[in-house]
Amino acid sequence: MDLYDVMRTTFAAREFTDDPLPDEVLGRIFDNARFAPSGGNRQGVHITVIRDRDTRRRIAELGIATARRYFAQLKAGENPWNPIHPSNVPQEVIDSTEIPDTFVAPLVKAPVLLVVSVDLGVVAAVDQNLDRVGMAGGASVYPLVWNILLAARNEGYGGTMTTMAIPAEEQVRQLLGIPDAHAVMAVVPMGKPTRQLTKLRRRPVAEFITRDRFDGAALMPELQCRVSRR
């Protein structure tokens, strides 16, 4: 596939056929995705490939509590898990909130589950002393995850990056034998999508890219109408 076609059609795949994802294909995906950048080229990411159904189900279960809060906050009109605006939803409401099957089924039904972790001993978290949630360390991880999803799309497969299991990091570590120095960064179900989307909805360039300043003029205002129709 053309690079731009891959970029424009790589969607969050959550429904998969019964087709397997062979090691040979996974090998090509990883062999190409590994060229993603990381801070200092330290390449501290480790990926655990899980095919065992019971293990996949357990990881899915470890994310349920996180998902309950997510959907309870959505129902209350809040932005889920927002680091600036704390939740006002009572814990008993969160505990009784039902979650859609789409938050559990992909991890159980996908033929392959990737658990992505990173060695904190080699991560440059340059924002660690700021009075906000740290984000910079993800720059050494998520480009690789996205490369994996792009490569999977190119091979006719797909997946989605999930983070619901991260609050249960200690249990995930124990389940998979992940060292204490590693942070769990993502769980990625992958397989053959039941359908391949070709048109994705995204904000047009003119809405979020500006010149010289955050409040500057749109970089390419002429794209506003043309892009928004896609």
Side-chain angles (χ1 to χ4, degrees):
M1 294 180 66
D2 176 80
L3 174 61
Y4 285 165
D5 287 338
V6 172
M7 292 169 66
R8 283 176 171 265
T9 61
T10 299
F11 65 101
R14 297 184 176 91
E15 297 180 354
F16 306 101
T17 68
D18 293 330
D19 294 75
L21 206 175
D23 282 348
E24 179 184 358
V25 177
L26 269 180
R28 284 199 302 270
I29 289 172
F30 292 140
D31 192 40
N32 287 285
R34 66 192 172 95
F35 288 95
S38 63
N41 197 29
R42 295 184 182 93
Q43 304 175 55
V45 173
H46 182 93
I47 298 173
T48 304
V49 179
I50 302 169
R51 295 188 183 274
D52 180 74
R53 186 178 180 86
D54 290 338
T55 305
R56 287 186 279 123
R57 181 176 295 280
R58 179 56 182 150
I59 292 174
E61 292 170 348
L62 288 173
I64 288 177
T66 310
R68 287 193 195 283
R69 173 174 161 179
Y70 184 95
F71 281 99
Q73 287 190 260
L74 276 183
K75 290 180 181 178
E78 297 179 351
N79 290 325
W81 288 94
N82 189 272
I84 296 177
H85 305 293
S87 176
N88 291 314
V89 181
Q91 187 61 48
E92 59 268 23
V93 173
I94 293 174
D95 293 340
S96 63
T97 298
E98 295 185 2
I99 61 173
D101 187 52
T102 53
F103 263 67
V104 176
L107 279 66
V108 177
K109 296 181 180 179
V112 170
L113 198 63
L114 311 180
V115 175
V116 183
S117 62
V118 66
D119 182 356
L120 294 176
V122 300
V123 168
V126 297
D127 55 357
Q128 61 186 278
N129 295 323
L130 296 182
D131 188 20
R132 62 162 174 78
V133 172
M135 304 288 287
S140 291
V141 181
Y142 296 127
L144 173 60
V145 177
W146 186 236
N147 260 12
I148 289 171
L149 291 172
L150 291 175
R153 175 71 182 98
N154 189 59
E155 294 280 350
Y157 292 83
T160 186
M161 181 167 59
T162 75
T163 55
M164 291 295 163
I166 289 178
E169 180 178 78
E170 184 56 35
Q171 294 97 310
V172 176
R173 281 201 193 109
Q174 292 177 6
L175 179 67
L176 302 179
I178 298 173
D180 290 344
H182 272 242
V184 177
M185 300 293 289
V187 175
V188 183
M190 289 179 56
K192 179 80 71 173
T194 55
R195 60 193 181 109
Q196 291 282 11
L197 301 183
T198 57
K199 292 185 178 181
L200 309 180
R201 290 180 296 175
R202 297 292 186 268
R203 294 166 61 194
V205 169
E207 282 190 9
F208 69 102
I209 301 180
T210 57
R211 293 183 184 275
D212 299 322
R213 290 174 49 89
F214 189 94
D215 57 356
L219 177 66
M220 304 177 72
E222 66 275 9
L223 288 181
Q224 175 75 39
C225 294
R226 180 166 62 88
V227 176
S228 62
R229 290 196 297 267
R230 296 186 178 179

